[in-house]
Amino acid sequence: MAKISVVLFKSKLLKNGEHPIMLRVTVGNKMKHFSMDMSTNPKQWDEKEARFIADKRINPDLVSEVINEDGSIKKHIISYKSKNAALNTRQVLADEILKKFTDSKTDWTFSMFADEFAKKLTRNNFAEYIDARIKYYKENKRTKYGISFQELKHKIALYDKKVDAKYIQDIDRSWVQGFIDYCTKQSNKPNTISIYLRGLRVLLNNAISEGIGSKESYPFSDKYGSTGGIKISDYRTETRKRYIPVDYLTKLKNKKFDNLRLERAKHLFLFSFYCYGINWTDMAKLTKKNQDQTVTETGHVKDVLIYKRSKTKKSYSIAITPEILSELTWFRVNTLLYKDYLLPIITEDVVNDKLVEHIKSKRRRFSEALKDIATELEFPQAFADLSSYFARHSFAMALRQKGLNIDVIQTALGHSSPTTTKTYLASFDNDFMEEQT
């Protein structure tokens, strides 16, 4: 039977004048010591408890300063409590490794234990692991994902003020349930909580696949053998896809607003609708370079908008109809366009993360203006909460009402799967059935 213990290895003196704290693994009459990346001197060590002496006069706090990317200074305080907590975690990790070997009836060696223990110690601080993922996404030009995890990290920091001292293995069912309760008290909607939980799940699954996470403390579902895990589906409500019926679209189109803010929002909405429901990010990035000409099979030359969809990276070509041309002309005459952009969305010279935030900020303002439009036009409650998504859904419904089949609508929307298209059309089909019955 293997035995795990923590010892101050006094027979070895480090350059800093301290002795290393080691993990001792004993099997029968064989014994091996493993580094725990920590050290101290005998005066600060409690031999009986095998931990740092719980006295600030003997083990005062260590304060270090780190300069952030924005130039601000963040202080890290390391107390005897945090160091003892780290030792506790490391000992638990060692116990988990031995349990894993025992349960799988593995004829293990000290070398095998060393490899597993080294993996467990690598990058197992939870906050640091999130930072590593954010850095990975930024370096690989996956800015959207990086921002999502940045937002998740911010939310977690509000919930757990001591998250910097947490290890990946500490993110267990109890911790996650507390996070859910916190989000609920903050009036976060179920779908928002679901997004946070999915982000957490991605982090923990990645950590486990990298050999530094813990299957035993995994909080979600029953994926790794545990029972009673948290089900993310319980926190995700079905969002009904809203659209504007043609009669109300016509009312919106024909209304001329005295307020330029509302008039501009109206034209942006119509432009998206005419362009097959092009999403906000893609239309924001359109420039004169996206305008081109093609020749049809009958030999006619036509003007088109060619762009690559941000979400799928697929290229699309949209014929510049009289309606689209009319909208482009309106923006050119009535708004101040920045550089070569076709629409008044991007108005600053920003790139990467700042560009993403800039576009999101403009979308929030756009959605606010649309809600004001719905109020002024006295739209029914069913679509009073207008947003940029309504143009895309409305375009899909307009095609459906014309009797076009799902394959055609799927191609127009750029969906990779007909399942997504069917989800868009679910509201129309339900309304149609209700009218017929």
Side-chain angles (χ1 to χ4, degrees):
M1 184 68 180
K3 180 181 177 182
I4 298 288
S5 59
V6 177
V7 298
L8 184 63
F9 203 67
K10 298 178 183 178
S11 60
K12 184 175 182 179
L13 186 65
L14 301 176
K15 291 182 179 179
N16 62 1
E18 296 180 343
H19 302 289
I21 299 172
M22 308 287 281
L23 182 77
R24 177 182 289 168
V25 181
T26 306
V27 183
N29 60 354
K30 295 181 179 180
M31 182 172 62
K32 187 79 173 178
H33 292 90
F34 300 91
S35 173
M36 298 185 79
D37 296 326
M38 299 177 73
S39 65
T40 189
N41 61 67
K43 292 181 180 180
Q44 296 176 307
W45 186 251
D46 188 327
E47 286 287 352
K48 183 179 179 181
E49 297 295 329
R51 294 294 185 270
F52 288 88
I53 295 174
D55 190 330
K56 277 194 173 184
R57 294 169 297 179
I58 299 174
N59 280 301
D61 292 346
L62 299 177
V63 181
S64 61
E65 294 184 343
V66 177
I67 300 177
N68 297 320
E69 291 182 1
D70 61 2
S72 61
I73 297 177
K74 182 177 181 179
K75 290 186 178 181
H76 286 277
I77 300 176
I78 304 174
S79 65
Y80 70 84
K81 290 182 180 180
S82 62
K83 289 188 284 189
N84 283 341
L87 290 175
N88 291 339
T89 300
R90 284 162 167 75
Q91 189 161 353
V92 168
L93 294 179
D95 289 333
E96 288 180 355
I97 294 170
L98 292 184
K99 184 177 184 300
K100 175 184 174 182
F101 287 155
T102 301
D103 292 345
S104 61
K105 298 181 180 179
T106 301
D107 186 16
W108 59 278
T109 63
F110 284 130
S111 178
M112 291 169 63
F113 179 89
D115 289 340
E116 289 294 320
F117 191 63
K119 287 180 181 179
K120 294 285 186 180
L121 289 182
T122 303
R123 210 172 41 169
N124 64 342
N125 177 279
F126 184 55
E128 290 177 359
Y129 187 68
I130 297 178
D131 287 337
R133 297 306 300 179
I134 293 172
K135 182 179 179 181
Y136 166 79
Y137 287 125
K138 287 183 177 180
E139 289 178 347
N140 287 274
K141 308 300 181 183
R142 300 174 70 181
T143 305
K144 181 179 178 181
Y145 293 99
I147 290 176
S148 295
F149 282 107
Q150 189 74 53
E151 292 173 349
L152 173 60
K153 180 186 175 185
H154 175 70
K155 191 70 176 182
I156 289 173
L158 294 175
Y159 157 62
D160 187 349
K161 305 299 183 183
K162 299 181 180 179
V163 69
D164 285 346
K166 290 288 191 300
Y167 291 89
I168 294 175
Q169 294 75 15
D170 295 326
I171 310 305
D172 55 13
R173 196 174 306 166
S174 175
W175 187 94
V176 173
Q177 187 59 57
F179 178 68
I180 293 171
D181 294 341
Y182 170 80
C183 290
T184 302
K185 289 179 181 178
Q186 295 297 309
S187 300
N188 290 133
K189 295 180 180 179
N191 280 347
T192 300
I193 296 175
S194 172
I195 292 172
Y196 288 141
L197 294 180
R198 279 181 279 158
L200 276 172
R201 184 174 61 186
V202 167
L203 288 170
L204 297 179
N205 284 337
N206 284 341
I208 289 173
S209 67
E210 294 170 17
I212 60 174
S214 171
K215 294 181 181 180
E216 289 76 9
S217 63
Y218 186 74
F220 300 110
S221 68
D222 306 327
K223 183 173 182 178
Y224 297 107
S226 60
T227 57
I230 293 170
K231 294 182 179 179
I232 296 178
S233 58
D234 291 344
Y235 300 92
R236 187 175 185 179
T237 58
E238 185 65 28
T239 301
R240 178 170 175 160
K241 302 299 183 182
R242 297 295 186 182
Y243 66 98
I244 304 178
V246 173
D247 290 347
Y248 288 94
L249 275 173
T250 302
K251 184 178 182 180
L252 171 65
K253 175 185 176 183
N254 294 335
K255 172 67 175 179
K256 182 171 177 59
F257 296 95
D258 295 329
N259 186 315
L260 179 59
R261 168 176 163 269
L262 301 187
E263 185 70 6
R264 182 173 58 240
K266 179 193 79 172
H267 284 283
L268 286 170
F269 186 92
L270 291 173
F271 177 84
S272 175
F273 177 82
Y274 293 140
C275 290
Y276 301 0
I278 183 174
N279 72 42
W280 182 256
T281 299
D282 291 333
M283 62 189 273
K285 295 180 178 179
L286 291 176
T287 67
K288 292 179 180 179
K289 292 181 179 180
N290 294 104
Q291 293 178 301
D292 203 351
Q293 289 185 328
T294 61
V295 180
T296 66
E297 293 181 356
T298 57
H300 291 92
V301 177
K302 67 175 181 179
D303 295 322
V304 294
L305 284 174
I306 297 177
Y307 74 99
K308 184 176 289 186
R309 194 176 177 206
S310 299
K311 191 171 183 179
T312 62
K313 306 304 179 184
K314 292 183 179 180
S315 296
Y316 294 93
S317 176
I318 299 175
I320 298 179
T321 62
E323 291 83 3
I324 294 175
L325 181 60
S326 175
E327 296 303 329
L328 290 174
T329 301
W330 188 90
F331 291 123
R332 188 172 64 253
V333 173
N334 296 281
T335 67
L336 183 63
L337 298 177
Y338 184 68
K339 291 188 174 180
D340 286 338
Y341 288 107
L342 299 180
L343 305 175
I345 300 175
I346 296 176
T347 57
E348 296 178 12
D349 191 12
V350 288
V351 295
N352 301 329
D353 292 2
K354 290 185 178 180
L355 176 60
V356 173
E357 285 298 327
H358 181 67
I359 294 174
K360 285 177 65 176
S361 175
K362 290 300 181 71
R363 184 174 63 190
R364 285 192 291 269
R365 297 179 193 176
F366 174 56
S367 295
E368 290 170 1
L370 288 178
K371 291 176 178 59
D372 291 341
I373 287 175
T375 299
E376 185 164 332
L377 294 180
E378 298 181 339
F379 278 2
Q381 188 61 38
F383 42 94
D385 191 27
L386 280 182
S387 69
S388 59
Y389 299 106
F390 274 67
R392 188 166 176 79
H393 300 154
S394 298
F395 172 74
M397 296 305 173
L399 294 184
R400 184 65 161 167
Q401 286 176 312
K402 286 187 175 182
L404 298 180
N405 64 44
I406 288 180
D407 290 339
V408 174
I409 301 173
Q410 177 191 343
T411 300
L413 292 175
H415 289 158
S416 58
S417 167
T419 302
T420 306
T421 309
K422 289 178 181 178
T423 301
Y424 267 63
L425 301 175
S427 296
F428 173 76
D429 290 338
N430 288 341
D431 293 343
F432 177 78
M433 290 302 296
E434 289 172 8
E435 290 175 4
Q436 298 305 307
T437 57

